């Protein structure tokens, strides 16, 4: 599909980068003139994906990198890819169940994927044990016309 | 961040800034310390100055709700923004606490039905 514009960035999986990551994606998406609510949805969905990589992917290792790609596609579709090279998810179906968390002691609500799913139009998760996890989200900006 | 105000039987945590995974840990520790010390009948989490919240904030709410069950108090959520209410509704955490707007007169965007 034709990419109209693209942003690529990577940063260490450290929690102080959560704010930077969601702000960066939103600043880039602002070109499409999203509504306040659409921007808030994107901000929240990106925050969940990046936080997942920070909390889970490099749990037993030095924090590696998180790579973020944002593309503006025709028809006001925004494509966001967030990838880590961490431990991977053994059972994606289980991980995506609302309220499931592999880190309950850290008071994670187990809602990361639920938020990503609800606040975007399409969510794909691919993961390989020991190789990492990639989350791709797509959202069509409707500018409040629907 | 968080500022705590203790009154008889009541503890209010005025939260501010961005409630994400990076920031909730310290907030949680401060609130829990004060709750265990004071054992308030009501804990109010005031979101008026919170500019962003993701599911880390939900973890904070659920965890405090459990703590209050243990200490015999109840939880109130004050002044969540529209973005925060959307996350609350999605998580079902809006059923764990009384949600109130105490500043509706001043800020119409905070006006909503309980």
């Amino acid at each position: 599909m034709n990419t109209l514009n693209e942003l690529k960035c990577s940063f260490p999986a450290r929690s102080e980068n959560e704010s930077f990551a969601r702000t960066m994606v939103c600043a880039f998406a602002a070109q499409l003139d999203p509504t306040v609510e659409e921007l808030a949805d994107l901000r929240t969905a990106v925050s969940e994906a990046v936080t997942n990589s920070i909390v889970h992917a490099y749990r037993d290792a030095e924090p590696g990198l998180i790579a973020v790609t944002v593309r503006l596609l025709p028809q006001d579709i925004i494509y966001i890819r967030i990838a880590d090279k961490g431990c991977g998810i053994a059972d994606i179906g289980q991980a995506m169940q609302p309220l499931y968390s592999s880190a309950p002691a850290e008071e994670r609500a187990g809602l990361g994927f639920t938020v990503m799913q609800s606040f975007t139009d399409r969510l794909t998760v691919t993961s390989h044990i020991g190789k990492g996890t990639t989350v791709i989200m797509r959202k069509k900006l409707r500018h409040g016309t629907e | 961040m968080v500022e705590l105000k203790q009154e008889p039987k009541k503890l209010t945590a005025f939260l501010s800034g961005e409630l994400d995974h990076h920031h909730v840990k310290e907030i949680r520790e401060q609130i829990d310390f004060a709750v265990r010390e004071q054992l308030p009948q009501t804990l109010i989490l005031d979101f008026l100055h919170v500019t962003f919240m993701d599911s880390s904030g939900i973890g904070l709410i659920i965890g405090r709700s459990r703590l209050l069950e243990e200490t015999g108090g109840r939880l109130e959520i004050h002044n969540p923004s529209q973005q925060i209410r959307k996350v609350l509704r999605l998580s079902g955490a809006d059923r764990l606490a009384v949600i109130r707007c105490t500043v509706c007169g001043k800020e119409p965007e905070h006006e909503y039905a309980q």
Side-chain angles (χ1 to χ4, degrees), chain B:
Chain B
M1 305 290 70
V2 63
E3 211 170 290
L4 297 165
K5 184 179 167 194
Q6 293 186 325
E7 291 166 278
K9 298 179 183 174
K10 189 166 98 175
L11 174 67
T12 307
F14 294 96
L15 305 162
S16 60
E18 302 192 311
L19 277 196
D20 61 9
H21 156 254
H22 181 65
H23 291 111
V24 294
K25 187 170 176 273
E26 197 189 320
I27 293 174
R28 180 169 74 211
E29 285 167 2
Q30 289 188 41
I31 294 175
D32 286 8
F33 183 82
V35 167
R36 290 192 190 283
E37 184 192 64
Q38 190 194 344
L39 300 174
Q41 272 179 12
T42 309
L43 169 67
I44 297 167
L45 299 177
D46 193 313
F47 286 83
L48 182 61
H49 296 293
V50 176
T51 51
F52 172 81
M53 185 183 93
D54 64 14
S55 69
S56 309
I58 298 300
L60 181 80
I61 292 169
I62 295 174
R64 302 300 68 65
S65 166
R66 287 191 187 135
L67 174 65
L68 289 165
E69 263 172 42
E70 202 185 292
T71 62
R74 63 183 199 123
L75 183 65
E76 289 190 14
I77 293 172
H78 286 189
N79 307 313
S81 68
Q82 203 181 347
Q83 185 259 337
I84 293 172
R85 273 180 279 142
K86 200 168 170 182
V87 181
L88 283 173
R89 269 199 306 274
L90 177 67
S91 68
D94 54 346
R95 293 192 294 267
L96 293 175
V98 176
I99 302 183
R100 270 208 185 106
C101 176
T102 61
V103 292
C104 298
K106 284 186 229 160
E107 300 195 32
E109 72 265 30
H110 281 289
E111 209 165 338
Y112 50 89
Q114 156 52 32

Side-chain angles (χ1 to χ4, degrees), chain A residues 51-97:
Chain A
T51 301
N52 268 356
S53 291
I54 289 170
V55 173
H56 303 289
Y58 302 105
R59 186 179 292 167
D60 302 315
E62 277 292 295
L65 291 178
I66 299 176
V68 176
T69 304
V70 190
R71 292 184 185 136
L72 306 187
L73 304 177
Q75 298 172 344
D76 285 355
I77 292 170
I78 181 152
Y79 164 105
I80 304 166
R81 179 180 185 274
I82 294 166
D84 65 60
K85 293 194 167 149
C87 61
I89 303 168
D91 186 341
I92 295 177
Q94 183 188 45
M96 290 181 75
Q97 270 174 28

